[in-house]
Amino acid sequence: MSRTKPFVILSNPEIAEVRKEFRSAISQHKTILVVGNCWVHYRGRANSKLEPGERILMIKEDGSLLIHRPVGYDPVNWQPPGCVFHIQITGGLLKVHAVRQKPAESVKVFFDKVHMFSAWSLEDSGEFSLYASEEDMQKAILMRPDFLEEGFEPISYEKKVEPGFVDVYGTDRDGNLVVVEIKRKTATSEAVLQLAKYVEAIKSRANRQVRGILVAPNIAKGVQTLLASLGLEFKALDPKKCASILERGKAAKLETFFV
Amino acid sequence: MSRTKPFVILSNPEIAEVRKEFRSAISQHKTILVVGNCWVHYRGRANSKLEPGERILMIKEDGSLLIHRPVGYDPVNWQPPGCVFHIQITGGLLKVHAVRQKPAESVKVFFDKVHMFSAWSLEDSGEFSLYASEEDMQKAILMRPDFLEEGFEPISYEKKVEPGFVDVYGTDRDGNLVVVEIKRKTATSEAVLQLAKYVEAIKSRANRQVRGILVAPNIAKGVQTLLASLGLEFKALDPKKCASILERGKAAKLETFFV
């Protein structure tokens, strides 16, 4: 074991042995993996019950809990960090009780068979970096137009106008045309003038009000003055957070749960 | 092993042994757990990089993938079901490459040390049941008023009016008052008459338009006719899905990622 971290793996253990190692691992804030046959009761914001089956229970060093079935990337039950755990044997079953105070929530997992118990001291200080491009920001706005503003509806993107291509083009809630120019770094006066050209080009052909919005992580004060003097607007949007939205966009939308 | 499912657990294995068992487990659609030191590259909707550290890799029988750090209930990288996996040894490292076609996404996980490899045939047909009350439905509407309709803003709930308590009370986007009556089962004519009483009670005191909306999983045709004849409205809302929203409401909101 000289090349590895200290860890415990019990294959096909007796329940009493699991209880002992489980309690020890919880007290040492280890990361725990249990594979076995279990059922689950949840009471809290809602109530749920999961009938028996073979699953993976994961408890992390911060006191978060996840129960994974053999299919689906979402856990079937889970608790955020900060749970207090009670490990008991009751009627020949291993009972793992995870409790949170605010809001009051309780998950009870009952195992009648543990195939594996393992506990780990994991060292992980590696940095996670999301790289975001202007295209990522554009996609994030197309996916969630309300991030530009409530009522914004995209009509097209990469729209050709005389001086080049408009990043995103749409209408606001009052029916005005909206021209969006996106920059992934601090907005410069060049970006402002570029947007102004697009807005002028579209104004010359439209019989409606045309608004120009510069989207960037931030803007210098002098550039903000120029922007305002041209009647244009600024919307702060963090490119890394756009990338994170795109990554999360893979997950089922909340809306899909509703009739 | 007579009492358990067939499984493989390798503690502190050599990389070559892991490759062999990994490929066999993938071809048999087993659920796989790997604990080790790894780094991760993701390319797809966004791009990300995770520097080295000790983590848990989970691959499920449906081809979904999760990478968990020792803290936080969210996976740091993940892929939905349907990935194709390529398991190779390259420069002494174990490379796990998960590929999806639509959208084109790729996760590459490089292990320089595997502490544990395990593969499981899990049997799990247990039903998951969410129990929802009218209170759950009320909370879901208060959390996400747009689920009633766009522009709805709650003012209060359990508002006392002469005949009893209004479940949710608010305004619509045109400034009309909205009275909401919630039922967790098919809407009955009793529910319609109850809502009508509340609407009348509020109309008698308000100098604005008052709308009444009956929220329930469904409504019988005859009851719908009665509702319409009284100038009231119906909104279908599934109570179990409300409970699921509340459960998911624990997760960080998308909005929190934006400036």
Side-chain angles (χ1 to χ4, degrees), chain B residues 62-65 78-85 97-100 105 107:
Chain B
D62 59 3
S64 52
L65 172 148
W78 59 278
Q79 290 278 75
C83 288
V84 174
F85 297 93
H97 188 187
V99 184
R100 273 179 92 210
E105 287 186 300
V107 173

Side-chain angles (χ1 to χ4, degrees), chain A residues 4 12 47 49 54-55 60 62 68-69 72 78 123-124 126 129 131 237 241 250 254 257-258, chain B residues 4 12 47 49 54-55 60 62 68-69 72 78 123-124 126 129 131 144 237 241 250 257-258:
Chain A
T4 60
N12 237 345
N47 298 326
K49 191 186 262 187
E54 291 178 306
R55 288 129 198 170
K60 294 193 177 183
D62 60 3
H68 274 282
R69 310 186 77 156
W78 59 277
E123 249 176 50
D124 181 6
S129 320
Y131 297 97
L237 204 55
K241 286 165 186 174
K250 290 191 293 190
L254 272 178
F257 289 93
F258 266 74
Chain B
T4 59
N12 237 343
N47 297 326
K49 192 185 259 186
E54 292 178 304
R55 289 130 198 170
K60 295 194 178 183
D62 59 3
H68 273 283
R69 311 186 76 154
W78 59 278
E123 247 175 51
D124 181 6
S129 320
Y131 297 96
R144 294 289 310 253
L237 204 56
K241 286 164 186 174
K250 291 191 291 191
F257 290 93
F258 267 74

Side-chain angles (χ1 to χ4, degrees), chain B:
Chain B
M1 301 259 294
S2 61
R3 288 162 57 219
T4 59
K5 315 292 306 175
F7 59 80
V8 174
I9 301 175
L10 306 177
S11 171
N12 237 343
E14 294 301 323
I15 293 286
E17 195 184 359
V18 175
R19 177 183 55 178
K20 178 174 159 282
E21 291 292 342
F22 211 134
R23 285 180 170 177
S24 158
I26 289 285
S27 70
Q28 293 170 74
H29 299 284
K30 291 197 176 181
T31 295
I32 297 165
L33 283 172
V34 186
V35 183
N37 196 65
C38 67
W39 51 100
V40 185
H41 295 177
Y42 166 70
R43 294 186 72 85
R45 296 198 180 208
N47 297 326
S48 72
K49 192 185 259 186
L50 177 63
E51 300 293 339
E54 292 178 304
R55 289 130 198 170
I56 298 162
L57 167 65
M58 188 186 295
I59 292 175
K60 295 194 178 183
E61 56 183 61
D62 59 3
S64 52
L65 172 148
L66 302 160
I67 297 164
H68 273 283
R69 311 186 76 154
V71 293
Y73 58 87
D74 267 335
V76 60
N77 283 104
W78 59 278
Q79 290 278 75
C83 288
V84 174
F85 297 93
H86 306 280
I87 314 298
Q88 291 172 300
I89 294 181
T90 170
L93 305 171
L94 180 77
K95 177 180 165 192
V96 178
H97 188 187
V99 184
R100 273 179 92 210
Q101 296 302 334
K102 279 191 179 180
E105 287 186 300
S106 145
V107 173
K108 288 179 189 165
V109 190
F110 299 89
F111 284 93
D112 64 356
K113 178 72 190 101
V114 172
H115 302 322
M116 180 187 78
F117 171 89
S118 69
W120 306 86
S121 297
L122 300 177
E123 247 175 51
D124 181 6
S125 55
E127 203 186 332
F128 179 72
S129 320
L130 260 171
Y131 297 96
S133 59
E134 277 161 21
E135 198 191 338
D136 290 336
M137 296 175 73
Q138 185 192 49
K139 279 189 212 160
I141 291 172
L142 292 171
M143 259 178 74
R144 294 289 310 253
D146 56 311
F147 289 142
L148 185 71
E149 65 177 32
E150 273 303 328
F152 176 65
E153 289 184 14
I155 297 169
S156 73
Y157 59 97
E158 304 298 339
K159 183 184 167 64
K160 178 96 182 77
V161 295
E162 281 129 57
F165 293 89
V166 168
D167 288 335
V168 178
Y169 176 75
T171 56
D172 70 11
R173 74 166 97 200
D174 302 318
N176 302 312
L177 294 177
V178 179
V179 177
V180 182
E181 177 64 27
I182 300 169
K183 294 296 172 195
R184 67 179 296 275
K185 295 194 173 164
T186 303
T188 60
S189 49
E190 285 73 20
V192 171
L193 297 174
Q194 189 185 0
L195 175 60
K197 272 189 213 161
Y198 291 142
V199 168
E200 284 314 308
I202 288 174
K203 264 187 188 163
S204 68
R205 293 186 292 160
N207 54 2
R208 286 200 270 182
Q209 279 290 111
V210 182
R211 294 169 57 200
I213 304 181
L214 185 58
V215 171
N218 43 54
I219 190 166
K221 212 169 177 184
V223 179
Q224 174 71 65
T225 309
L226 172 66
L227 188 86
S229 73
L230 293 167
L232 304 173
E233 301 161 57
F234 175 71
K235 170 73 185 176
L237 204 56
D238 180 344
K240 288 202 180 178
K241 286 164 186 174
C242 286
S244 148
I245 292 296
L246 295 176
E247 235 276 301
R248 281 155 191 274
K250 291 191 291 191
K253 305 282 189 312
L254 272 177
E255 283 69 12
T256 62
F257 290 93
F258 267 74
V259 179

Side-chain angles (χ1 to χ4, degrees), chain A residues 46-95:
Chain A
N47 298 326
S48 73
K49 191 186 262 187
L50 176 63
E51 300 294 339
E54 291 178 306
R55 288 129 198 170
I56 297 162
L57 166 67
M58 189 186 294
I59 292 175
K60 294 193 177 183
E61 57 183 59
D62 60 3
S64 52
L65 172 149
L66 303 161
I67 297 164
H68 274 282
R69 310 186 77 156
V71 293
Y73 58 88
D74 268 334
V76 59
N77 282 105
W78 59 277
Q79 290 278 74
C83 288
V84 173
F85 297 93
H86 306 280
I87 315 297
Q88 292 171 299
I89 294 180
T90 169
L93 304 171
L94 180 77
K95 178 181 164 189

Side-chain angles (χ1 to χ4, degrees), chain A residues 67-162:
Chain A
I67 297 164
H68 274 282
R69 310 186 77 156
V71 293
Y73 58 88
D74 268 334
V76 59
N77 282 105
W78 59 277
Q79 290 278 74
C83 288
V84 173
F85 297 93
H86 306 280
I87 315 297
Q88 292 171 299
I89 294 180
T90 169
L93 304 171
L94 180 77
K95 178 181 164 189
V96 178
H97 187 187
V99 184
R100 275 178 88 211
Q101 296 302 333
K102 277 191 178 182
E105 286 185 301
S106 145
V107 173
K108 288 179 188 164
V109 191
F110 298 90
F111 283 94
D112 64 355
K113 178 71 189 102
V114 172
H115 302 323
M116 180 186 81
F117 171 89
S118 69
W120 307 86
S121 298
L122 300 177
E123 249 176 50
D124 181 6
S125 55
E127 203 186 334
F128 179 72
S129 320
L130 260 172
Y131 297 97
S133 59
E134 277 162 21
E135 198 192 338
D136 290 336
M137 298 174 72
Q138 186 192 48
K139 280 190 212 161
I141 291 172
L142 293 172
M143 257 178 76
R144 295 287 311 251
D146 55 311
F147 288 143
L148 184 72
E149 67 177 31
E150 273 301 329
F152 176 65
E153 288 185 15
I155 297 169
S156 72
Y157 60 97
E158 302 299 341
K159 183 185 169 61
K160 178 95 182 78
V161 295
E162 280 131 55

